[in-house]
Amino acid sequence: MILVLNVGSSTIKYKIFEGEVEIESGLIDRIGDKPVFYHNGQKESVKVDNHEEGIRFIKKYFETKNFPIKAIGHRVVHGLDVTESKLINVNVLEKIERASPLAPLHNPPELAVIKACNSFGVPQIAVFDTAFHQSMLPVAYTYALPREIIEKYSIRRYGFHGISHMFVSFNEPGRVISCHLGNGASIAAIKNGRCVDTSMGLTPLEGLVMGTRTGDLDPGIILFLLNQGFSPHELDKMFNEKSGLLGLSMESNDIRELVASDRAEAKLAIDVFIYRLVKYIGAYISVLGGLDQLIFTGGIGENEWRIRKRVVESLSYLGAELEEKRNFSNQEIISSETSKVLVKVKKTNEELMIAREVYRILGDSVKNSY
Ligand code: ADP
């Protein structure tokens, strides 16, 4: 059995796999502030003041369940220039630490969790959200800032959601565009399995309109608002937590509520969301020199047929065509037989992708407990 961990600033999510089968999943939520442990449909209050205590808690819990953990896979948000998953050693720990200023809410707790997991005494693998995008060429990842600033601060487009983009595009040949549309949203242009471009940048703020994030902005807006007296901290909160679908609609970041609303603000929020996505798809079709396959994933991509319909209809100039019934019922292939572009809905599973990386690196010996 292997353990897969996905850590946030106040959460530890886990999944246990036997081979590719998920045995159990759970979550410690609100670490440090009335923490709650969810597992097997149950919910209990626990005393967990920090991430190290969280790991001690789940380790004890696994012992009561007799889970023989043979390896651990960690989702790590930022890995700077690391191009693939790594067996964790001091060099990898140092890399995660060096990337911390670029992912201050994620890398430090991930580092603390990795160190706490040494107590399991098993090999640990880091799977980076940025690694899949490292195949981008300088022309795609370079911002037009003064060179000395770029070099001094390692400023470039890194991209995120890489584990999800890798999972849904795995073994898909040709020119593929993957749309990860969840609360966070990003899009990737992929050629024969290698990422060519992606919409998130130095941070996850760039690109598509998201649940609460702005996506692309004129940098002049930031300067303008600073001059109006907003502090960097206030702008950080505004751009990450109060913008996007929520900010525009003044109602919700949940697309289901906006689709059901008849307020003009909700309608405009959805229109801007779709317009930005269609614009990126158009740009990536140019970058790829055409399109063989469009993939939708994430909570919105997997479930919201109306959004998919409008996006695919905007590609009718390419000969993309939907099979309406299949789209309505979230089938895996939603394009018609005569469509010039294959359109798919794929349920993302970042934890399974991490488990596969653990097996790839450590070999099948960790796959079965017997
Ligand atoms: P995260 O990025 O936090 O992992 P998800 O990928 O779960 O988020 O996506 C969350 C969003 O997906 C929700 O805000 C909601 O808008 C949308 N969503 C989730 N389930 C559905 C559904 N059944 N129908 C339509 N939209 C959904």
PDB file of all heavy atoms in Angstrom, residues 148-165:
ATOM      1  N   GLU A 148      18.079  41.478 -15.758  1.00  0.00           N
ATOM      2  CA  GLU A 148      18.697  41.323 -14.427  1.00  0.00           C
ATOM      3  C   GLU A 148      17.624  41.039 -13.359  1.00  0.00           C
ATOM      4  O   GLU A 148      17.884  40.326 -12.389  1.00  0.00           O
ATOM      5  CB  GLU A 148      19.573  42.538 -14.065  1.00  0.00           C
ATOM      6  CG  GLU A 148      18.837  43.849 -13.864  1.00  0.00           C
ATOM      7  CD  GLU A 148      18.698  44.668 -15.157  1.00  0.00           C
ATOM      8  OE1 GLU A 148      18.799  44.078 -16.245  1.00  0.00           O
ATOM      9  OE2 GLU A 148      18.460  45.897 -15.060  1.00  0.00           O
ATOM     10  N   ILE A 149      16.419  41.568 -13.556  1.00  0.00           N
ATOM     11  CA  ILE A 149      15.332  41.316 -12.600  1.00  0.00           C
ATOM     12  C   ILE A 149      14.878  39.863 -12.722  1.00  0.00           C
ATOM     13  O   ILE A 149      14.701  39.153 -11.720  1.00  0.00           O
ATOM     14  CB  ILE A 149      14.149  42.275 -12.879  1.00  0.00           C
ATOM     15  CG1 ILE A 149      14.572  43.720 -12.673  1.00  0.00           C
ATOM     16  CG2 ILE A 149      12.934  41.924 -12.028  1.00  0.00           C
ATOM     17  CD1 ILE A 149      14.894  44.080 -11.237  1.00  0.00           C
ATOM     18  N   ILE A 150      14.702  39.403 -13.965  1.00  0.00           N
ATOM     19  CA  ILE A 150      14.299  38.016 -14.209  1.00  0.00           C
ATOM     20  C   ILE A 150      15.287  37.065 -13.537  1.00  0.00           C
ATOM     21  O   ILE A 150      14.893  36.124 -12.847  1.00  0.00           O
ATOM     22  CB  ILE A 150      14.270  37.740 -15.735  1.00  0.00           C
ATOM     23  CG1 ILE A 150      13.130  38.508 -16.391  1.00  0.00           C
ATOM     24  CG2 ILE A 150      14.184  36.260 -16.029  1.00  0.00           C
ATOM     25  CD1 ILE A 150      13.065  38.309 -17.899  1.00  0.00           C
ATOM     26  N   GLU A 151      16.585  37.339 -13.732  1.00  0.00           N
ATOM     27  CA  GLU A 151      17.598  36.413 -13.209  1.00  0.00           C
ATOM     28  C   GLU A 151      17.707  36.495 -11.693  1.00  0.00           C
ATOM     29  O   GLU A 151      17.777  35.478 -11.015  1.00  0.00           O
ATOM     30  CB  GLU A 151      18.948  36.684 -13.889  1.00  0.00           C
ATOM     31  CG  GLU A 151      18.978  36.037 -15.270  1.00  0.00           C
ATOM     32  CD  GLU A 151      20.018  36.630 -16.212  1.00  0.00           C
ATOM     33  OE1 GLU A 151      20.968  37.285 -15.734  1.00  0.00           O
ATOM     34  OE2 GLU A 151      19.866  36.426 -17.442  1.00  0.00           O
ATOM     35  N   LYS A 152      17.660  37.708 -11.177  1.00  0.00           N
ATOM     36  CA  LYS A 152      17.825  37.865  -9.724  1.00  0.00           C
ATOM     37  C   LYS A 152      16.723  37.136  -8.959  1.00  0.00           C
ATOM     38  O   LYS A 152      16.966  36.522  -7.925  1.00  0.00           O
ATOM     39  CB  LYS A 152      17.820  39.359  -9.366  1.00  0.00           C
ATOM     40  CG  LYS A 152      18.004  39.626  -7.895  1.00  0.00           C
ATOM     41  CD  LYS A 152      18.299  41.077  -7.607  1.00  0.00           C
ATOM     42  CE  LYS A 152      18.490  41.265  -6.112  1.00  0.00           C
ATOM     43  NZ  LYS A 152      18.448  42.681  -5.733  1.00  0.00           N
ATOM     44  N   TYR A 153      15.471  37.213  -9.465  1.00  0.00           N
ATOM     45  CA  TYR A 153      14.341  36.665  -8.697  1.00  0.00           C
ATOM     46  C   TYR A 153      13.754  35.388  -9.304  1.00  0.00           C
ATOM     47  O   TYR A 153      12.689  34.941  -8.896  1.00  0.00           O
ATOM     48  CB  TYR A 153      13.239  37.733  -8.584  1.00  0.00           C
ATOM     49  CG  TYR A 153      13.688  38.978  -7.845  1.00  0.00           C
ATOM     50  CD1 TYR A 153      13.947  40.152  -8.531  1.00  0.00           C
ATOM     51  CD2 TYR A 153      13.870  38.954  -6.461  1.00  0.00           C
ATOM     52  CE1 TYR A 153      14.371  41.297  -7.863  1.00  0.00           C
ATOM     53  CE2 TYR A 153      14.291  40.088  -5.781  1.00  0.00           C
ATOM     54  CZ  TYR A 153      14.547  41.262  -6.491  1.00  0.00           C
ATOM     55  OH  TYR A 153      14.958  42.382  -5.818  1.00  0.00           O
ATOM     56  N   SER A 154      14.439  34.786 -10.283  1.00  0.00           N
ATOM     57  CA  SER A 154      13.934  33.561 -10.957  1.00  0.00           C
ATOM     58  C   SER A 154      12.512  33.774 -11.486  1.00  0.00           C
ATOM     59  O   SER A 154      11.648  32.896 -11.356  1.00  0.00           O
ATOM     60  CB  SER A 154      13.942  32.349 -10.020  1.00  0.00           C
ATOM     61  OG  SER A 154      15.213  32.125  -9.506  1.00  0.00           O
ATOM     62  N   ILE A 155      12.259  34.944 -12.069  1.00  0.00           N
ATOM     63  CA  ILE A 155      10.914  35.244 -12.572  1.00  0.00           C
ATOM     64  C   ILE A 155      10.744  34.642 -13.965  1.00  0.00           C
ATOM     65  O   ILE A 155      11.535  34.907 -14.877  1.00  0.00           O
ATOM     66  CB  ILE A 155      10.673  36.767 -12.617  1.00  0.00           C
ATOM     67  CG1 ILE A 155      10.660  37.322 -11.180  1.00  0.00           C
ATOM     68  CG2 ILE A 155       9.348  37.082 -13.327  1.00  0.00           C
ATOM     69  CD1 ILE A 155      10.496  38.819 -11.099  1.00  0.00           C
ATOM     70  N   ARG A 156       9.744  33.797 -14.109  1.00  0.00           N
ATOM     71  CA  ARG A 156       9.397  33.192 -15.397  1.00  0.00           C
ATOM     72  C   ARG A 156       8.021  32.557 -15.241  1.00  0.00           C
ATOM     73  O   ARG A 156       7.492  32.485 -14.137  1.00  0.00           O
ATOM     74  CB  ARG A 156      10.417  32.131 -15.818  1.00  0.00           C
ATOM     75  CG  ARG A 156      10.743  31.099 -14.750  1.00  0.00           C
ATOM     76  CD  ARG A 156      11.350  29.839 -15.323  1.00  0.00           C
ATOM     77  NE  ARG A 156      10.335  29.050 -16.002  1.00  0.00           N
ATOM     78  CZ  ARG A 156      10.582  27.940 -16.692  1.00  0.00           C
ATOM     79  NH1 ARG A 156      11.813  27.502 -16.807  1.00  0.00           N
ATOM     80  NH2 ARG A 156       9.609  27.264 -17.255  1.00  0.00           N
ATOM     81  N   ARG A 157       7.462  32.106 -16.350  1.00  0.00           N
ATOM     82  CA  ARG A 157       6.207  31.366 -16.241  1.00  0.00           C
ATOM     83  C   ARG A 157       6.559  29.935 -15.815  1.00  0.00           C
ATOM     84  O   ARG A 157       7.341  29.267 -16.484  1.00  0.00           O
ATOM     85  CB  ARG A 157       5.463  31.374 -17.576  1.00  0.00           C
ATOM     86  CG  ARG A 157       4.255  30.473 -17.587  1.00  0.00           C
ATOM     87  CD  ARG A 157       3.368  30.615 -18.809  1.00  0.00           C
ATOM     88  NE  ARG A 157       2.714  31.892 -18.819  1.00  0.00           N
ATOM     89  CZ  ARG A 157       3.036  32.887 -19.628  1.00  0.00           C
ATOM     90  NH1 ARG A 157       3.967  32.721 -20.524  1.00  0.00           N
ATOM     91  NH2 ARG A 157       2.392  34.022 -19.543  1.00  0.00           N
ATOM     92  N   TYR A 158       6.024  29.496 -14.660  1.00  0.00           N
ATOM     93  CA  TYR A 158       6.238  28.117 -14.203  1.00  0.00           C
ATOM     94  C   TYR A 158       5.035  27.244 -14.544  1.00  0.00           C
ATOM     95  O   TYR A 158       5.184  26.122 -14.983  1.00  0.00           O
ATOM     96  CB  TYR A 158       6.492  28.077 -12.691  1.00  0.00           C
ATOM     97  CG  TYR A 158       7.848  28.628 -12.308  1.00  0.00           C
ATOM     98  CD1 TYR A 158       7.990  29.936 -11.863  1.00  0.00           C
ATOM     99  CD2 TYR A 158       8.991  27.843 -12.415  1.00  0.00           C
ATOM    100  CE1 TYR A 158       9.234  30.454 -11.539  1.00  0.00           C
ATOM    101  CE2 TYR A 158      10.242  28.349 -12.089  1.00  0.00           C
ATOM    102  CZ  TYR A 158      10.352  29.656 -11.648  1.00  0.00           C
ATOM    103  OH  TYR A 158      11.587  30.160 -11.331  1.00  0.00           O
ATOM    104  N   GLY A 159       3.830  27.791 -14.318  1.00  0.00           N
ATOM    105  CA  GLY A 159       2.630  26.983 -14.557  1.00  0.00           C
ATOM    106  C   GLY A 159       2.322  26.085 -13.370  1.00  0.00           C
ATOM    107  O   GLY A 159       3.219  25.708 -12.607  1.00  0.00           O
ATOM    108  N   PHE A 160       1.038  25.787 -13.190  1.00  0.00           N
ATOM    109  CA  PHE A 160       0.601  24.914 -12.088  1.00  0.00           C
ATOM    110  C   PHE A 160      -0.443  23.932 -12.629  1.00  0.00           C
ATOM    111  O   PHE A 160      -0.644  23.884 -13.848  1.00  0.00           O
ATOM    112  CB  PHE A 160       0.047  25.774 -10.935  1.00  0.00           C
ATOM    113  CG  PHE A 160       1.103  26.700 -10.397  1.00  0.00           C
ATOM    114  CD1 PHE A 160       1.271  27.964 -10.947  1.00  0.00           C
ATOM    115  CD2 PHE A 160       1.980  26.285  -9.413  1.00  0.00           C
ATOM    116  CE1 PHE A 160       2.279  28.810 -10.493  1.00  0.00           C
ATOM    117  CE2 PHE A 160       2.989  27.129  -8.954  1.00  0.00           C
ATOM    118  CZ  PHE A 160       3.130  28.391  -9.494  1.00  0.00           C
ATOM    119  N   HIS A 161      -1.093  23.174 -11.739  1.00  0.00           N
ATOM    120  CA  HIS A 161      -2.040  22.128 -12.157  1.00  0.00           C
ATOM    121  C   HIS A 161      -1.345  21.094 -13.055  1.00  0.00           C
ATOM    122  O   HIS A 161      -2.006  20.384 -13.811  1.00  0.00           O
ATOM    123  CB  HIS A 161      -3.232  22.698 -12.962  1.00  0.00           C
ATOM    124  CG  HIS A 161      -4.208  23.471 -12.146  1.00  0.00           C
ATOM    125  ND1 HIS A 161      -4.908  24.532 -12.669  1.00  0.00           N
ATOM    126  CD2 HIS A 161      -4.619  23.336 -10.874  1.00  0.00           C
ATOM    127  CE1 HIS A 161      -5.707  25.034 -11.741  1.00  0.00           C
ATOM    128  NE2 HIS A 161      -5.537  24.320 -10.649  1.00  0.00           N
ATOM    129  N   GLY A 162      -0.003  21.030 -13.003  1.00  0.00           N
ATOM    130  CA  GLY A 162       0.726  20.148 -13.927  1.00  0.00           C
ATOM    131  C   GLY A 162       0.369  18.676 -13.745  1.00  0.00           C
ATOM    132  O   GLY A 162       0.350  17.915 -14.717  1.00  0.00           O
ATOM    133  N   ILE A 163       0.098  18.282 -12.495  1.00  0.00           N
ATOM    134  CA  ILE A 163      -0.212  16.867 -12.248  1.00  0.00           C
ATOM    135  C   ILE A 163      -1.531  16.511 -12.931  1.00  0.00           C
ATOM    136  O   ILE A 163      -1.678  15.455 -13.540  1.00  0.00           O
ATOM    137  CB  ILE A 163      -0.256  16.568 -10.727  1.00  0.00           C
ATOM    138  CG1 ILE A 163       1.096  16.938 -10.094  1.00  0.00           C
ATOM    139  CG2 ILE A 163      -0.597  15.115 -10.454  1.00  0.00           C
ATOM    140  CD1 ILE A 163       1.099  16.950  -8.567  1.00  0.00           C
ATOM    141  N   SER A 164      -2.485  17.435 -12.866  1.00  0.00           N
ATOM    142  CA  SER A 164      -3.782  17.199 -13.511  1.00  0.00           C
ATOM    143  C   SER A 164      -3.651  17.231 -15.039  1.00  0.00           C
ATOM    144  O   SER A 164      -4.171  16.347 -15.730  1.00  0.00           O
ATOM    145  CB  SER A 164      -4.779  18.260 -13.046  1.00  0.00           C
ATOM    146  OG  SER A 164      -5.986  18.129 -13.753  1.00  0.00           O
ATOM    147  N   HIS A 165      -2.948  18.223 -15.581  1.00  0.00           N
ATOM    148  CA  HIS A 165      -2.776  18.280 -17.044  1.00  0.00           C
ATOM    149  C   HIS A 165      -2.052  17.020 -17.540  1.00  0.00           C
ATOM    150  O   HIS A 165      -2.373  16.483 -18.593  1.00  0.00           O
ATOM    151  CB  HIS A 165      -1.993  19.536 -17.445  1.00  0.00           C
ATOM    152  CG  HIS A 165      -2.771  20.814 -17.294  1.00  0.00           C
ATOM    153  ND1 HIS A 165      -3.941  21.055 -17.992  1.00  0.00           N
ATOM    154  CD2 HIS A 165      -2.570  21.918 -16.532  1.00  0.00           C
ATOM    155  CE1 HIS A 165      -4.406  22.260 -17.658  1.00  0.00           C
ATOM    156  NE2 HIS A 165      -3.606  22.787 -16.771  1.00  0.00           N
TER     157      HIS A 165
END
